Amino acid sequence: MIQSLRLPAPSMRGAIILLALLPLLSACGFNTIPTREEQAKAAWSEVLNQYQRRADLIPNLVETVKGYASHEREVLEAVVEARAKATSVQISPDMLSDPEAFKVFQESQSQLTGALSRLLAVVENYPDLKASQNFLALQAQLEGTENRIAVARRDYIEAVRLYNTSLKTLPSMLWAKFWFTDAEPLQSFTASEESMSLPKVDFGNGG
């Protein structure tokens, strides 16, 4: 007796069809949007890591400066307050499409950069502080961190550019319209890296 052939269950047929279509979906840009979104979010995490590294250096920097220039209270307090504000403003990767939240974050970090710039300018008036090994070590770490911040910001800006472009160009824009309907453009930095970096200060002992 010949047994009748059994057709796969609907769910099984759907899985088979999906597996067969995966190479085609990948080839026509289906994975572009989620891939670039994850890359942008990963780049943002690195930006946060470097800003946190800077924030962690500031308490020791302030205490070191205070030991030599305690009467520069206004400048020191400005740095402490700016750090407190900057560390209180956090943006998770899921909030990167919120322009207002991103603006607040960027402004708080910019204010901290400005406060640090003023502090380092004040240091020029204290040769003993400039010659302090502890201060020189902190200054080197801070300078290295500022460089890392610049690189992390640059990588994030590029990742966002690629992601946002994929939402507006073929063929990936079709997937955004009909499949990834909740995909929104991500925010990016509006200030130049130069305007966010610390000024170059001569920390030599030449006075």
Side-chain angles (χ1 to χ4, degrees):
M1 181 177 180
I2 300 177
Q3 294 181 342
S4 60
L5 295 176
R6 290 185 177 180
L7 294 175
S11 59
M12 180 66 71
R13 289 200 300 271
I16 293 173
I17 293 172
L18 181 59
L19 288 174
L21 290 177
L22 280 178
L24 297 177
L25 293 175
S26 178
C28 65
F30 178 79
N31 291 326
T32 300
I33 290 175
T35 298
R36 289 183 175 173
E37 182 181 22
E38 289 305 312
Q39 290 171 343
K41 289 180 177 180
W44 176 249
S45 294
E46 182 60 19
V47 170
L48 293 182
N49 286 340
Q50 298 309 328
Y51 275 131
Q52 184 60 51
R53 180 193 294 265
R54 179 172 73 170
D56 291 342
L57 288 172
I58 291 174
N60 285 339
L61 179 65
V62 168
E63 287 301 314
T64 300
V65 174
K66 187 185 297 184
Y68 291 83
S70 59
H71 58 283
E72 299 286 355
R73 187 175 63 182
E74 183 177 347
V75 177
L76 292 167
E77 288 179 351
V79 172
V80 173
E81 291 173 4
R83 178 189 182 274
K85 181 177 180 180
T87 54
S88 69
V89 179
Q90 297 295 325
I91 296 185
S92 68
D94 294 332
M95 298 170 61
L96 289 174
S97 60
D98 185 339
E100 198 58 39
F102 196 91
K103 180 181 178 181
V104 172
F105 175 87
Q106 183 174 346
E107 288 178 349
S108 68
Q109 293 296 339
S110 180
Q111 289 169 7
L112 178 54
T113 299
L116 281 171
S117 297
R118 291 186 290 275
L119 178 63
L120 295 182
V122 164
V123 168
E124 282 293 284
N125 299 321
Y126 299 91
D128 290 344
L129 172 57
K130 289 169 58 179
S132 164
Q133 291 302 311
N134 189 34
F135 175 78
L136 290 175
L138 287 168
Q139 186 272 331
Q141 293 178 59
L142 183 61
E143 184 176 277
T145 299
E146 290 295 335
N147 291 334
R148 293 187 185 95
I149 288 173
V151 171
R153 280 164 49 91
R154 181 198 65 196
D155 292 346
Y156 171 74
I157 289 170
E158 177 62 12
V160 169
R161 184 189 70 80
L162 292 173
Y163 170 73
N164 288 349
T165 299
S166 70
L167 298 180
K168 300 185 292 185
T169 56
L170 292 170
S172 52
M173 66 178 294
L174 296 177
W175 293 113
K177 183 175 181 61
F178 297 107
W179 192 279
F180 302 108
T181 56
D182 59 344
E184 297 180 0
L186 301 181
Q187 300 299 307
S188 190
F189 293 100
T190 55
S192 66
E193 291 179 5
E194 290 75 16
S195 67
M196 295 287 286
S197 61
L198 292 177
K200 296 297 182 182
V201 178
D202 180 10
F203 288 93
N205 296 327

